[in-house]
């Protein structure tokens, strides 16, 4: 018995050694001949593709793949995408970015999905001088990491105040209750912006309640809020919790408008909350129902390929790759990272599906948001 | 040479060493037969203490990291007194609960910045790079880039830490304390009957484990630029546990080998990353069923010594 | 508001009790904590959801289906992850680690099969129906949950104390070796217990999934941890403890939100178990002799 175990152990060790050497051998090859292929530009993508948040990474991948096919079909420039999974984990995001930069020799990076991952992995790209563009990293301070860090995700600080302002004007709000997910960095960031926007508009906050991501029971918070009779409820969270909050709120008879951060802006919200989503308000640069040729084509193509309506994650990734393509074309090189960064920084008047786009001098996007409201199970513009 | 000095490989090597240090931390508590699932919590205390001290109070890193470790072990002693009356699964669950409570507290404190975490933590590499350039090596040493040099230096620092820990633990095993640990692990009541102060030694092992977890936490804060409460949740505890489960916890080399394998394999099998956790889960079940002592036990070492000794003679 | 919050707490607590019952059964007989119970619960929710959505069956049929599926899952777990451990004398930590392995495996398997998005029951599947009692509002599903939990509690108690199989289970719980000597096929009894506990987990999954109307692969972890807290709090292996402990936890959580700070809610469960372990390690209803307090 002992002998067989030891044999098994030996086999295991040899196997591991083989794997290790195989891995190293595989790693050395692309590094050697990376300069000979000058034709297509290699971009790395770091996304949350497995685990609890895989839905977001999946949308991003779909948007990127669609954009890649279009760009390659046009033929002005060829793009290769290398995907790496960050699993929503900082260490993995760092490893993925390091691998893409040093092993795959990518010219630029897209991602990671979460702001926290960007805070961990962004400095690596910045130090190595590789441009990195977040498509969903909306938290405060992301682009302060360094001058190679870009984002085309509209920061909360510009979208949320628009939604708040519109709602305050429209519904004449005097006192509101605020709810947010306190263990989600992005939702907390959204909450802070919301709080400030409310103060700026002279609205009184009569209750602030928190919950956590993946919570399912909101009855205690909502019962408390219902007893205070607010004019509206502001929610900063991802769509799943937002939808459950809406459902519970309508069940216990809270009928006032709900204003949300970006998390509200997903078809899933309506799918989960159903009737309860009626009257939910959100500001977003992405609005699939807009009368615009580009958007119509994108929505139709996306539907044809994946059989669903694109969400904001897909739309912003789609735009991000097109922005990269424009910058690559302008820089005239498919391998020069510095040139790519410089030409990215000069992008302006770019027409994307999320609207007219430019980078400001801090590499944040300058774009307009539309304030949307859910009506008859559809996002429509709030006028 | 270029391949070895590739940033990517250096980074992985750094994480391997960090995880190996975490492996040592769980090994120390397991040395008395206690399973603590609170290592992620202690790591979190160490990481936050250290990051707050270095970022907000401007303390140098070489002071911040040990202070973080000491803070973690201090708290471990406070909760250790009542907790160590518990044994086996009770202790495991109590420490698991402790980790969760720490996470919630971190989420609610102002100084830890809640869920937003602490970003812009100065990196160990950058600090060492700066020190080097102050010494007159602005662009690295011997044809290496500054980044490569600083990463290499980090590697050396971590290697020194780990070597010291291994040295310390092997010395410990041969000392009175180590023998007491082993006696408690073998049979707690018998150990007590022999006049060993079991509470004292269990607490000592617990606090040492927490100290090392705290130091590892401080190191990780300065290696990943950013820490948030999510980094030290249940998943991290399970991850640390798997190092000991795979490698074995009889000998210090066990969890270190476990950490090495479990940090390298996911990188090698990147394309299969969506199956990674499924493989981890299956691995834990299989190890418990077929080799609960882990890959490396005293028997394995004896076997190899004998075998290699025979080979020498021939 | 107080009464409404109390009702909220009771209904939340009844879901915890229902989950904790499964833990308790396995703990009582095998003396192990089944860390995978939360994931089995999640599989139950998915099976129920799929049955209702695609086969358009009645919700009670779906519950039965989920129960059978989860019982099978439990049997598989017992044969692959628990039985091999019993054959060799290993420390009591081995089954804990092994079931942690099962839980990680199942959660990620579910992510692979069902996808990460949360899914909802089709409308008209009982969820969302509200009943008004004076100023207090309670949903129909919650009443059913409360009823089923208490019903199960009494049935289990009766079954364990009066029937032949129940007595065999209790004997096995006292000592597997003695039970073997008495001619009880302990492997069979253990298999039955694990299957029963997992089946209960399946029912709980459907009911809880129905009451929150969102089912997703990671729901098992948080619910599982709460169930675990109840198990320790109420006393390991004690059915009454699981029931009362669940209700207390639910009320404590709701009142933390209602009259304290909502952001500390998640610390309540674990704060409670740390406290109880220090003051009364055997739990509220456990007796101080280790074996006596079961069932």
């Amino acid at each position: 018995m002992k002998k067989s175990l030891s044999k098994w152990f030996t086999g295991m060790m040899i196997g591991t050694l083989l794997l290790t050497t195989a891995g190293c051998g595989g790693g050395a090859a692309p590094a050697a001949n990376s300069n000979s292929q000058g034709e297509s530009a290699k971009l790395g993508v770091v996304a949350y593709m497995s685990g609890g948040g895989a839905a977001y990474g999946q949308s991003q991948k779909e948007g990127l793949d669609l954009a890649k096919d279009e760009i390659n079909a046009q033929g002005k420039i060829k793009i290769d995408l290398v995907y790496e999974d960050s699993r929503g984990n900082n260490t993995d995001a760092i490893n993925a970015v390091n691998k893409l930069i040093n092993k795959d020799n990518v010219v630029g990076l897209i991602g990671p999905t979460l702001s926290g991952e960007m805070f961990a992995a962004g400095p690596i790209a910045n130090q190595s001088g590789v441009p990195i563009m977040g498509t969903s990293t909306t938290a405060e301070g992301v682009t302060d990491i360094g001058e190679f860090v870009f984002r085309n995700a509209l920061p909360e600080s510009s979208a949320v105040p628009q939604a708040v302002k519109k709602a305050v004007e429209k519904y004449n709000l005097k006192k509101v209750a605020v709810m947010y997910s306190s263990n989600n960095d992005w939702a907390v960031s959204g909450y802070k912006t919301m709080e400030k926007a409310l103060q700026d508009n002279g609205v009184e906050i009569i209750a602030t309640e928190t919950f956590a991501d993946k919570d399912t029971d909101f009855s205690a918070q909502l019962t408390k809020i219902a007893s205070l009779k607010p004019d509206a409820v502001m929610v900063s969270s991802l769509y799943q919790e937002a939808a459950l909050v809406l459902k519970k709120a309508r069940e216990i008879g809270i009928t006032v408008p709900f204003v949300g951060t970006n998390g509200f802006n997903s078809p899933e919200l309506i799918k989960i909350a159903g009737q309860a989503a009626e009257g939910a308000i959100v500001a977003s640069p992405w609005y699939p129902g807009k009368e615009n040729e580009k958007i119509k084509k994108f929505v139709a193509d996306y539907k044809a390929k994946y059989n669903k309506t694109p969400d904001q994650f897909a739309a912003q990734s789609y735009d991000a790759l097109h922005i990269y393509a424009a910058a690559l074309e302008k820089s005239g090189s498919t391998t020069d990272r510095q040139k790519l960064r410089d030409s990215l920084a000069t992008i302006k008047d770019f027409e994307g599906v999320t609207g007219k786009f430019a980078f400001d001098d801090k590499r944040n996007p300058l774009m307009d948001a539309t304030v949307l409201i859910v009506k008859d199970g559809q996002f429509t513009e709030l006028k | 040479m270029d391949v070895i000095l590739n940033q990517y490989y250096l980074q992985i090597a750094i994480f391997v060493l960090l995880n190996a240090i975490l492996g040592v931390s769980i090994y120390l508590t397991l040395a008395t037969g206690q399973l603590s699932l609170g290592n992620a919590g202690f790591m979190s205390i160490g990481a936050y203490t250290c990051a707050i001290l270095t970022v907000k109070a401007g303390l140098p890193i070489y002071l911040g990291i040990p202070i973080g470790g000491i803070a973690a072990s201090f708290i471990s002693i406070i909760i250790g007194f009542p907790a160590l009356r518990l044994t086996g699964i009770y202790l495991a669950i109590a420490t698991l609960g402790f980790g969760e409570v720490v996470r919630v507290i971190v989420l609610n404190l102002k100084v830890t910045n809640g869920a937003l975490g602490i970003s812009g933590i100065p990196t160990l590499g950058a600090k060492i790079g700066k020190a080097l350039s102050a010494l007159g090596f602005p662009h690295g040493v011997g044809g290496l880039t500054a980044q490569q040099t600083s990463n290499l230096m980090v590697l050396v620092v971590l290697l020194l830490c780990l070597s010291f820990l291994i040295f310390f633990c092997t010395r410990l095993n041969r000392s009175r304390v180590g023998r007491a640990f082993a006696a408690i692990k073998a049979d707690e009541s018998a150990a007590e009957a022999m006049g060993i102060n079991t509470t004292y030694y269990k607490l000592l092992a617990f606090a040492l484990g927490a100290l090392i977890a705290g130091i590892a936490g401080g190191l990780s804060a300065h290696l990943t630029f950013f820490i948030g409460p999510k980094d030290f949740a249940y998943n991290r505890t399970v991850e640390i546990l798997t190092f000991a489960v795979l490698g074995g916890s009889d000998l210090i080399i066990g969890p270190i080998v476990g950490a090495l394998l479990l940090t390298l394999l996911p990188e090698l099998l990147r394309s299969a990353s969506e199956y990674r956790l499924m493989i981890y889960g299956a691995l834990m079940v299989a190890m418990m069923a077929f080799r609960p002592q882990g890959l490396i036990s005293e028997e394995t070492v004896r076997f190899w010594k004998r075998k290699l000794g025979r080979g020498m003679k021939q | 508001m107080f009464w409404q919050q109390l009702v909220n707490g009771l209904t939340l607590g009844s879901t915890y009790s229902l989950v904790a019952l499964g833990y308790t059964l396995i703990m009582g007989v095998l003396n192990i904590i089944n860390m995978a119970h939360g994931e089995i619960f999640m599989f139950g929710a998915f099976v129920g959801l799929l049955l209702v959505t695609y086969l358009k069956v009645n919700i009670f049929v779906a519950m039965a289906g989920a129960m059978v599926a989860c019982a099978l899952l439990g049997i598989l777990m017992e044969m692959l992850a628990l039985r091999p451990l019993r054959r060799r004398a290993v420390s009591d930590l081995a089954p804990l680690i092994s079931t942690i392995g099962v839980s990680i495996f199942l959660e990620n398997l579910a992510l692979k099969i069902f996808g990460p998005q949360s899914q909802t029951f089709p409308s008209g599947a009982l969820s969302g129906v509200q009943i008004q009692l004076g100023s207090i509002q309670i949903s129909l599903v919650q009443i059913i949950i409360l009823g089923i939990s208490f019903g199960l509690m009494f049935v289990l108690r009766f079954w364990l104390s009066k029937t032949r199989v129940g007595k065999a289970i209790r004997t096995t719980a006292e000592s597997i070796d003695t039970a073997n000597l008495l001619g009880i096929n302990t492997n069979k009894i253990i298999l039955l217990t694990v299957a029963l506990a997992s089946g209960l987990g399946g029912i709980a999954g459907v009911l809880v999934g129905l009451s929150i109307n969102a089912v997703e692969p990671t729901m098992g972890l948080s619910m599982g941890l709460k169930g675990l807290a109840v198990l320790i709090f109420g006393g390991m292996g004690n059915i009454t403890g699981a029931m009362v402990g669940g209700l207390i936890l639910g009320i404590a959580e709701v009142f933390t939100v209602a009259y304290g700070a909502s952001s500390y809610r998640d610390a309540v469960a674990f704060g409670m178990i740390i406290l109880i372990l220090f003051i009364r390690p055997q739990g509220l209803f456990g007796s101080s002799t280790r074996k006596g307090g079961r069932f």
Side-chain angles (χ1 to χ4, degrees):
Chain A
M1 185 64 193
K2 250 178 227 165
K3 210 162 189 180
S4 74
L5 274 180
S6 307
K7 262 188 197 154
W8 178 76
F9 171 68
T10 321
M12 181 87 179
M13 284 312 275
I14 292 172
T16 319
L17 271 176
L18 280 177
L19 270 174
T20 319
T21 39
C24 290
N33 59 16
S34 64
N35 286 335
S36 62
Q37 36 158 297
E39 283 303 305
S40 61
K42 208 176 194 184
L43 292 174
V45 182
V46 182
Y48 194 164
M49 291 191 291
S50 68
Y56 310 113
Q58 192 58 37
S59 286
Q60 291 180 324
K61 185 173 187 295
E62 287 167 359
L64 288 169
D65 280 339
L66 189 67
K68 186 188 84 172
D69 291 349
E70 281 180 23
I71 293 163
N72 287 347
Q74 275 174 7
K76 272 191 250 169
I77 198 150
K78 285 255 183 288
I79 288 183
D80 262 347
L81 293 178
V82 187
Y83 288 99
E84 287 299 341
D85 187 359
S86 67
R87 297 174 50 236
N89 178 321
N90 298 342
T91 319
D92 280 281
I94 289 179
N95 280 342
V97 163
N98 255 315
K99 172 183 178 280
L100 289 167
I101 293 176
N102 297 302
K103 206 170 147 189
D104 297 318
N105 283 306
V106 296
V107 60
L109 290 158
I110 294 176
T113 307
L114 307 176
S115 297
E117 293 174 338
M118 182 59 119
F119 281 124
I124 304 252
N126 196 54
Q127 271 172 20
S128 316
V130 182
I132 182 165
M133 189 183 337
T135 66
S136 52
T137 45
T138 48
E140 223 28 81
V142 160
T143 54
D144 294 339
I145 293 169
E147 56 173 15
F148 281 86
V149 181
F150 293 79
R151 64 170 155 199
N152 79 329
L154 190 64
E156 294 292 316
S157 54
S158 78
V160 171
Q162 291 185 48
V164 169
K165 190 157 181 273
K166 196 104 180 198
V168 168
E169 282 166 6
K170 175 114 183 157
Y171 297 102
N172 192 22
L173 306 178
K174 292 275 180 290
K175 49 183 178 118
V176 298
V178 183
M179 289 177 83
Y180 68 99
S181 166
S182 68
N183 72 342
N184 182 315
D185 47 354
W186 166 86
V188 173
S189 174
Y191 154 71
K192 291 194 169 157
T193 324
M194 209 167 226
E195 195 185 17
K196 191 169 174 297
L198 287 167
Q199 281 162 1
D200 290 347
N201 284 294
V203 181
E204 188 196 352
I205 300 172
I206 50 171
T208 306
E209 293 296 324
T210 66
F211 48 89
D213 277 9
K214 305 284 174 199
D215 264 7
T216 46
D217 174 77
F218 306 94
S219 54
Q221 289 96 326
L222 287 166
T223 305
K224 199 168 160 186
I225 286 175
S227 70
L228 297 169
K229 301 204 180 349
D231 296 337
V233 182
M234 311 269 154
V235 183
S236 176
S237 78
L238 295 169
Y239 67 78
Q240 186 185 333
E241 291 76 30
L244 295 178
V245 165
L246 277 165
K247 251 177 18 185
K248 190 77 206 173
R250 302 305 190 215
E251 265 175 37
I252 66 170
I254 301 177
T255 51
V256 296
F258 272 69
V259 182
T261 50
N262 248 325
F264 270 42
N265 187 22
S266 165
E268 292 286 322
L269 180 89
I270 301 173
K271 211 177 111 196
I272 300 172
Q275 197 63 37
E278 293 292 299
I281 296 165
V282 63
S284 166
W286 165 242
Y287 170 40
K290 216 177 202 166
E291 286 298 316
N292 174 312
E293 280 312 309
K294 239 189 159 121
I295 295 173
K296 277 189 179 155
K297 181 174 177 303
F298 168 61
V299 174
D301 288 350
Y302 192 93
K303 260 192 182 149
K305 195 162 176 186
Y306 305 110
N307 196 24
K308 59 182 175 193
T309 316
D311 62 7
Q312 190 187 347
F313 288 90
Q316 266 169 339
S317 302
Y318 174 87
D319 270 359
L321 196 63
H322 276 289
I323 293 170
Y324 256 123
L328 280 165
E329 217 179 299
K330 233 163 108 182
S331 80
S333 160
T334 53
T335 50
D336 194 324
R337 293 160 171 175
Q338 180 68 41
K339 269 191 193 158
L340 177 60
R341 188 220 91 90
D342 294 342
S343 81
L344 261 180
T346 60
I347 290 279
K348 59 171 174 269
D349 295 332
F350 174 86
E351 279 290 340
V353 292
T354 54
K356 205 168 174 185
F357 179 90
F359 284 115
D360 70 5
D361 51 359
K362 290 205 72 186
R363 299 164 308 283
N364 282 317
L366 287 171
M367 58 212 286
D368 283 329
T370 319
V371 180
L372 306 172
I373 185 166
V374 179
K375 209 173 180 182
D376 305 323
Q378 288 274 318
F379 281 109
T380 49
E381 206 172 332
L382 179 67
K383 290 196 178 109
Chain B
M1 202 58 185
D2 255 7
V3 177
I4 301 169
L5 288 176
N6 190 317
Q7 288 290 321
Y8 172 50
Y9 299 125
L10 286 178
Q11 186 79 61
I12 293 173
I14 287 172
F15 283 133
V16 166
L17 291 178
L18 181 69
N19 283 339
I21 294 176
L22 282 168
V24 175
S25 88
I26 197 162
Y27 162 78
L28 271 171
T29 23
L30 278 169
T32 57
Q34 310 295 315
L35 175 63
S36 156
L37 293 179
N39 287 43
F42 293 126
M43 200 184 162
S44 154
I45 295 173
Y48 271 101
T49 313
C50 176
I52 290 167
L53 285 176
T54 53
V55 174
K56 301 202 172 155
L59 224 64
I61 296 180
Y62 56 84
L63 283 180
I65 292 176
I67 292 177
I70 291 166
S73 77
F74 180 70
I75 294 187
S76 81
I77 291 172
I78 295 177
I79 73 150
F81 266 117
L84 289 171
R85 285 195 356 234
L86 311 166
T87 46
I89 41 181
Y90 289 86
L91 180 72
I93 301 300
T95 46
L96 176 68
F98 165 74
E100 284 294 296
V101 171
V102 168
R103 194 177 60 82
V104 176
I105 292 175
V106 164
L107 267 174
N108 281 292
L109 289 183
K110 254 229 156 71
V111 68
T112 54
N113 206 14
L116 296 175
I118 299 178
S119 59
I121 301 171
T123 63
L124 213 52
K127 284 275 157 158
I128 294 175
K130 231 177 240 168
L132 277 180
S133 59
L135 285 173
F137 301 108
H139 291 294
V141 195
L144 304 175
T145 65
Q147 227 181 338
Q148 278 171 329
T149 335
S150 64
N151 268 346
L152 271 180
M153 296 315 261
V154 172
L155 213 57
V156 171
V157 169
L158 288 176
L159 211 53
L160 285 176
C161 283
L162 186 64
S163 318
F164 173 74
L165 285 178
I166 295 175
F167 172 74
F168 175 77
C169 288
T170 38
R171 295 294 300 171
L172 190 78
N173 281 346
R174 293 197 201 116
S175 72
R176 230 179 112 87
V177 178
R179 291 188 215 291
F181 282 2
I184 296 171
K185 185 177 186 176
D187 187 336
E188 202 178 323
S189 345
E192 191 148 23
M194 283 193 300
I196 295 171
N197 184 345
T198 51
T199 316
Y200 168 75
Y201 284 110
K202 271 158 67 183
L203 194 62
L204 181 67
F206 194 57
L208 280 176
L211 175 73
I212 295 170
I215 289 176
L219 285 169
S220 84
H222 289 280
L223 291 172
T224 57
F225 318 94
F226 171 80
I227 48 169
K230 241 186 260 167
D231 302 338
F232 309 105
Y234 177 69
N235 290 342
R236 179 57 75 98
T237 300
V238 171
E239 198 185 324
I240 300 172
L241 178 62
T242 45
F243 298 155
V245 169
L246 180 67
S249 54
D250 282 355
L251 296 168
I252 183 159
I253 201 70
I256 294 177
V257 169
L260 175 79
L261 291 179
L262 288 174
T263 322
L264 282 183
L265 283 179
E267 289 302 321
L268 295 177
L269 306 173
R270 267 204 161 270
S271 49
S273 75
E274 49 186 333
Y275 296 103
R276 165 168 159 188
L277 284 167
M278 270 161 86
I279 295 170
Y280 270 36
L283 196 66
M284 284 173 90
V285 176
M287 287 306 290
M288 282 299 118
F290 300 114
R291 206 174 158 79
Q293 70 270 48
L295 283 182
I296 298 174
S297 70
E298 282 175 34
E299 271 163 38
T300 4
V301 171
R302 229 175 288 141
F303 170 84
W304 279 101
K305 270 193 184 147
R306 215 177 329 124
K307 185 147 193 173
L308 289 177
R310 212 185 299 144
M312 296 274 222
K313 267 177 221 156
Q314 283 166 358
Chain C
M1 193 172 90
F2 174 82
W3 294 108
Q4 178 67 51
Q5 292 289 29
L6 193 67
V7 167
N8 290 344
L10 281 174
T11 51
L12 179 67
S14 65
T15 60
Y16 294 158
S17 300
L18 199 53
V19 176
L21 274 182
Y23 273 106
T24 283
L25 266 180
I26 293 184
M27 179 73 210
V29 176
L30 289 171
N31 203 19
I32 60 170
I33 292 180
N34 176 16
M35 296 292 281
H37 191 69
E39 278 64 33
I40 289 175
F41 157 89
M42 174 267 297
F43 260 90
F46 267 109
V47 171
L49 179 93
L50 294 178
L51 285 176
V52 172
T53 315
Y54 293 107
L55 297 181
K56 309 253 181 303
V57 297
N58 178 300
I59 195 70
F60 295 99
V61 180
M63 262 194 272
M67 183 174 153
V68 171
C70 287
L72 289 175
L73 203 61
I75 289 171
L76 215 59
M77 178 181 79
E78 145 68 12
M79 300 218 276
L80 294 178
L82 296 178
R83 190 169 293 178
L85 270 56
R86 271 203 308 282
R87 276 206 223 105
R88 38 169 97 211
V90 287
S91 80
D92 54 349
L93 295 176
L96 184 79
I97 295 170
S98 183
T99 50
I100 290 179
V102 175
S103 79
I104 299 175
F105 181 81
L106 286 180
E107 179 180 328
N108 288 282
L109 182 70
L111 276 167
K112 197 85 203 84
I113 302 176
F114 305 119
Q117 287 95 341
S118 62
Q119 299 178 30
T120 53
F121 281 89
S123 55
L126 210 65
S127 71
V129 183
Q130 298 287 318
I131 293 169
Q132 194 80 33
L133 296 168
S135 65
I136 294 169
Q137 209 183 24
I138 186 168
S139 78
L140 183 60
V141 184
Q142 298 287 12
I143 297 178
I144 295 178
I145 290 179
L146 211 57
I148 288 188
S149 327
F150 274 103
L152 278 176
M153 180 179 123
F154 288 116
V155 167
L156 275 178
R157 289 200 72 123
F158 175 79
W159 187 67
L160 284 171
S161 60
K162 296 284 187 282
T163 64
R164 218 183 135 73
V165 182
K167 282 177 185 159
I169 289 182
R170 275 164 53 227
T171 317
T172 312
E174 287 292 328
S175 162
I176 292 179
D177 293 333
T178 318
N180 266 330
L181 283 177
L182 291 171
I184 295 170
N185 184 345
T186 50
N187 266 341
K188 215 163 150 188
I189 290 295
I190 290 171
L191 200 65
L192 179 74
T193 314
V194 176
L196 185 68
S198 305
L200 283 182
I203 295 183
V206 180
L207 281 171
V208 174
L210 208 56
S211 88
I212 57 179
N213 204 0
V215 178
E216 49 97 19
T218 55
M219 71 192 277
L221 180 63
S222 50
M223 211 30 139
L225 288 179
K226 295 282 166 66
L228 186 62
V230 172
L231 171 74
I232 308 262
F233 185 71
M236 297 227 190
N238 187 301
I239 290 178
T240 320
M243 281 307 298
V244 179
L247 296 181
I248 293 180
L249 177 61
I251 294 172
E253 279 195 355
V254 164
F255 277 28
T256 310
V257 175
Y259 302 105
S262 46
S263 51
Y264 278 96
R265 175 182 186 154
D266 276 355
V268 170
F270 284 100
M272 262 166 65
I273 61 168
I274 290 179
L275 210 67
I276 196 95
L277 281 175
F278 292 166
I279 301 169
R280 200 181 147 82
Q282 69 270 33
L284 273 188
F285 290 82
S287 83
S288 49
T289 53
R290 296 250 300 148
K291 301 266 172 182
R294 300 249 183 79
F295 300 129

